[in-house]
Amino acid sequence: MPVTAREPRVLWLTGLSGSGKSTLATALHQQLLAAGQPVAVLDGDAVRGGLCRGLGFSPEDRRENIRRVAEVARLMREAGLVVICALISPLREDRAMARDIVGAAHFREVHVATPLAVCEARDPKGLYRNARAQALPQFTGISAPYEEPLSPALRLDTSRVELAAAVTALQGLLSA
């Protein structure tokens, strides 16, 4: 039986492209909806098509992308929703900013710690192939840094953990 939140939280899923952030967010979203929990997903690709359209991938634009998403997540959480944010968000400093915007008491950082080799093998959008061919500059994990969280609330490697078990672990963060 799914666990619902006692108090709305923001789960911030961070990891490399292809690590499984969106898959986890979608699966948790479906379970929470089925349990009657108000929930929303802010997915990096989706927000870049609207809210963050026009932002590139420079460090400044990435920071602004994360700031905008964190502000929306805070508003949604304050309205009573569990918010699942699935963004690469490669820099610790930017994730700390998101935590400050949301409020540390309501923010749970989740490192989707799938190894680079697995993410590259998955390469659902052909991004790694383009990055390796130097056709995609500033690509996280290849030509731009990814700083792993030092103390995430949860660390999941989707190449080792089944989806159902990962979703159960995420649900546990909602009542913690």
Side-chain angles (χ1 to χ4, degrees), residues 1 4 7 17 32 53 65 72 96 100 105 120 123 134 139:
M1 172 183 255
T4 57
E7 182 179 341
S17 179
L32 292 175
R53 180 181 28 239
N65 180 62
V72 170
D100 289 344
E120 278 196 79
D123 203 9
Q134 298 180 341
F139 188 74

Side-chain angles (χ1 to χ4, degrees), residues 129-162:
R129 182 174 17 95
N130 289 335
R132 293 285 186 197
Q134 298 180 341
L136 194 57
Q138 298 181 341
F139 188 74
T140 303
I142 304 299
S143 53
Y146 178 79
E147 298 173 349
E148 293 187 1
L150 298 175
S151 301
L154 181 64
R155 193 178 311 272
L156 295 168
D157 176 349
T158 62
S159 69
R160 295 176 181 246
V161 177
E162 294 293 325

Side-chain angles (χ1 to χ4, degrees), residues 88-111:
I88 293 171
S89 44
L91 301 180
R92 290 184 194 112
E93 177 182 10
D94 293 345
R95 294 190 303 268
M97 173 191 61
R99 177 182 291 107
D100 289 344
I101 290 168
V102 168
H106 309 291
F107 186 95
R108 302 292 181 270
E109 184 178 46
V110 177
H111 182 203

Side-chain angles (χ1 to χ4, degrees), residues 15-38:
L16 296 172
S17 179
S19 63
K21 298 177 303 296
S22 296
T23 300
L24 290 168
T26 299
L28 179 59
H29 179 256
Q30 291 170 348
Q31 286 206 2
L32 292 175
L33 277 179
Q37 175 72 50

Side-chain angles (χ1 to χ4, degrees), residues 59-77:
E60 298 79 20
D61 282 356
R62 285 181 184 269
R63 182 172 180 79
E64 178 60 14
N65 180 62
I66 291 164
R67 187 195 67 75
R68 291 180 190 181
V69 170
E71 292 287 358
V72 170
R74 179 185 56 80
L75 292 170
M76 291 177 146
R77 192 208 60 78

